[in-house]
């Protein structure tokens, strides 16, 4: 009944998501991006749709059972040929030790460690992840070793 009603309206069952683009076209976009920027670390701020594609490719390879993206050997080879970074971290990724240095500088300047998003968005997010990782380790992707906890205390 419902399907027949939609068919009667001329419903397009093959409609793809709004930003869908064939894989080969995405490869062309990545080539152009690399030529312009010298790397393939596409950020959402620069190219939202292409960054989402890169994220889907990484997720599809890292967790194929949890992804709708099916990566064939040919597709992996195409991305590898471009120098695609399968382990790409977010632009704001910074080693733990550097974050500790940032926190020390923040405390020196402000006299406290209550970092707000308005002041230091990236550092505030780091603090939030550390607090969550310590309070709820089973619900967090952040793994805090005893050494790291000691660095934060």
């Amino acid at each position: 009944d419902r399907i027949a009603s939609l068919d009667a309206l001329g419903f397009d069952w093959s409609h793809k998501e709004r930003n869908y683009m064939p894989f080969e076209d995405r490869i062309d976009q990545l080539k152009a991006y690399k030529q312009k920027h010298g790397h393939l670390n596409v950020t959402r701020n620069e190219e939202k749709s292409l960054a989402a594609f890169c994220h889907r490719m990484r997720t599809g390879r890292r967790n194929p059972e949890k992804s709708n993206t099916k990566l064939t050997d040919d597709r992996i080879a195409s991305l590898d040929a471009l120098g695609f970074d399968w382990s790409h971290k977010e632009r704001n990724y910074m080693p733990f030790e550097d974050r500790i240095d940032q926190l020390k500088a923040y405390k020196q300047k402000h006299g406290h460690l209550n970092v707000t998003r308005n002041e230091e968005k990236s550092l505030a997010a780091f603090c939030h992840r550390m607090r969550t990782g310590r309070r709820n380790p089973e619900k967090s992707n952040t793994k805090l070793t005893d050494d790291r906890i000691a660095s934060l205390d």
Side-chain angles (χ1 to χ4, degrees):
D1 261 355
R2 292 180 180 183
I3 292 173
S5 296
L6 290 169
D7 284 340
L9 290 172
F11 190 78
D12 181 3
W13 294 102
S14 66
H15 180 72
K16 300 286 185 182
E17 63 183 79
R18 183 175 49 183
N19 291 328
Y20 174 77
M21 187 177 292
F23 182 83
E24 295 74 19
D25 292 350
R26 291 295 190 183
I27 292 295
D28 290 341
Q29 280 188 321
L30 283 171
K31 286 177 186 175
Y33 183 92
K34 186 174 184 178
Q35 187 163 6
K36 180 177 179 181
H37 299 281
H39 60 78
L40 290 173
N41 299 327
V42 184
T43 65
R44 288 184 303 248
N45 292 340
E46 295 169 328
E47 302 259 354
K48 187 176 182 178
S49 177
L50 188 58
F53 168 80
C54 292
H55 177 76
R56 285 192 306 274
M57 295 304 104
R58 290 183 185 102
T59 302
R61 188 164 187 192
R62 192 172 36 247
N63 298 313
E65 66 284 348
K66 294 182 180 179
S67 175
N68 292 331
T69 302
K70 303 300 177 216
L71 279 175
T72 63
D73 290 342
D74 288 343
R75 287 184 171 192
I76 291 170
S78 294
L79 290 163
D80 284 342
L82 288 177
F84 190 76
D85 181 2
W86 294 100
S87 64
H88 174 71
K89 300 285 184 184
E90 288 294 317
R91 172 184 257 171
N92 292 332
Y93 172 77
M94 187 178 292
F96 182 83
E97 295 74 20
D98 293 350
R99 290 293 190 187
I100 294 298
D101 291 341
Q102 276 190 325
L103 282 171
K104 288 176 183 174
Y106 184 92
K107 186 174 184 179
Q108 180 75 30
K109 181 178 179 181
H110 298 280
H112 62 80
L113 290 174
N114 299 323
V115 185
T116 65
R117 290 176 57 96
N118 291 340
E119 296 170 319
E120 301 263 350
K121 185 177 180 178
S122 177
L123 188 59
F126 169 80
C127 292
H128 176 75
R129 286 191 306 276
M130 295 305 106
R131 289 182 183 110
T132 302
R134 187 162 187 186
R135 266 186 262 146
N136 299 312
E138 65 284 348
K139 293 181 181 179
S140 174
N141 290 331
T142 302
K143 304 299 177 219
L144 287 174
T145 63
D146 290 340
D147 289 341
R148 287 188 169 188
I149 291 171
S151 298
L152 292 164
D153 283 342

